[in-house]
Amino acid sequence: MPVIPSIQAQNTTSFMPTDNFSIPQLGGSINFAVNGSYRSAVLENNTWVFRGLVLNSSQTRGTLYISVENSNVTITDFRSISAFGRSQYLRYIAEGEGVQRINLGINYTTNSADWMVTLNRQYINEGEGWQLRRGNTVVVNGQIGNVTVIHYNWDIPNDNDRPFYEQHSVALTVVAVVVGTVLAATVISIKARR
């Protein structure tokens, strides 16, 4: 009889655009523009922490920490992108000239050159509407409209825990193709001389 390992299901909670995540002490609230789900959503120290957040049946799961003060936000998109070294972004519509504090769940040190913030598709310089704070928290201040917070991971991911052939699969494939081509050309050349 085969042995089947036990699998524990991840419980998720679904939400709809009509669901409201308020922060009464700060006069702020968060809504989502689309349906989605999360493993957990907890208000901790006036910050909503969404773990295992998925929007609109996306394959991307992530952790989002967000706090809003004297404003209301509607989150329209939240993703991790494999290209560009696993970048992340959050898009939302801000109503009210308040403050939004966003942390995309990045657990390594970043600097402001790794981040970009736009308002209505226009780039905003750091210090002119947003700041990067300790712990990778981006603070957006006094902006109304469509805001996008993007983190670009320019570093090459550390693959030291993967086997050599997986770390260098592209190079090994290229070498194999070149060697195969040379061998085929050599065989054809030898047969042509006979």
Side-chain angles (χ1 to χ4, degrees), residues 178-194:
V178 169
V179 167
T181 303
V182 169
L183 286 175
T186 303
V187 168
I188 291 170
S189 174
I190 290 172
K191 286 188 177 189
R193 288 183 191 160
R194 288 185 185 174

Side-chain angles (χ1 to χ4, degrees), residues 8-15 35-41 50-65 77-82 86-89 103-106:
Q8 184 174 352
Q10 295 279 342
N11 293 331
T12 60
T13 302
S14 297
F15 59 83
N35 294 338
S37 65
Y38 51 79
R39 280 195 315 269
S40 70
F50 296 94
R51 288 187 172 81
L53 180 62
V54 176
L55 296 186
N56 205 19
S57 300
S58 165
Q59 296 300 316
T60 303
R61 290 191 180 274
T63 300
L64 173 64
Y65 302 80
D77 206 356
F78 172 66
R79 296 191 189 249
S80 279
I81 309 165
S82 329
R86 301 183 187 117
S87 299
Q88 300 88 358
Y89 71 87
N103 186 308
L104 301 177
I106 299 166

Side-chain angles (χ1 to χ4, degrees), residues 138-153:
V138 173
V139 178
V140 179
N141 191 1
Q143 306 302 317
I144 298 174
N146 295 311
V147 178
T148 304
V149 176
I150 305 170
H151 171 257
Y152 296 103
N153 182 4

Side-chain angles (χ1 to χ4, degrees), residues 1 13 25 31 33 41 49 52 56 69 90 92 95 99-101 107 111 124 136 140 143 156 162-163 174-175 178:
M1 179 172 191
T13 302
Q25 290 183 312
N31 291 81
V49 181
N56 205 19
E69 183 175 349
L90 174 73
Y92 63 91
E95 297 173 0
V99 177
Q100 299 91 41
R101 292 172 187 85
N107 58 4
N111 63 58
I124 304 172
N136 297 319
V140 179
Q143 306 302 317
I156 296 172
R162 293 180 14 191
V174 169
V175 168
V178 169

Side-chain angles (χ1 to χ4, degrees), residues 67-136:
S67 178
V68 295
E69 183 175 349
N70 297 322
S71 67
N72 300 312
V73 301
T74 301
I75 296 173
T76 58
D77 206 356
F78 172 66
R79 296 191 189 249
S80 279
I81 309 165
S82 329
F84 306 116
R86 301 183 187 117
S87 299
Q88 300 88 358
Y89 71 87
L90 174 73
R91 288 186 181 142
Y92 63 91
I93 301 166
E95 297 173 0
E97 290 187 6
V99 177
Q100 299 91 41
R101 292 172 187 85
I102 296 121
N103 186 308
L104 301 177
I106 299 166
N107 58 4
Y108 52 87
T109 303
T110 67
N111 63 58
S112 59
D114 298 334
W115 294 86
M116 182 171 76
V117 176
T118 65
L119 174 65
N120 300 321
R121 299 184 183 205
Q122 299 294 317
Y123 175 79
I124 304 172
N125 290 320
E126 184 185 19
E128 297 177 3
W130 72 277
Q131 292 181 323
L132 178 62
R133 299 274 173 86
R134 189 170 23 132
N136 297 319

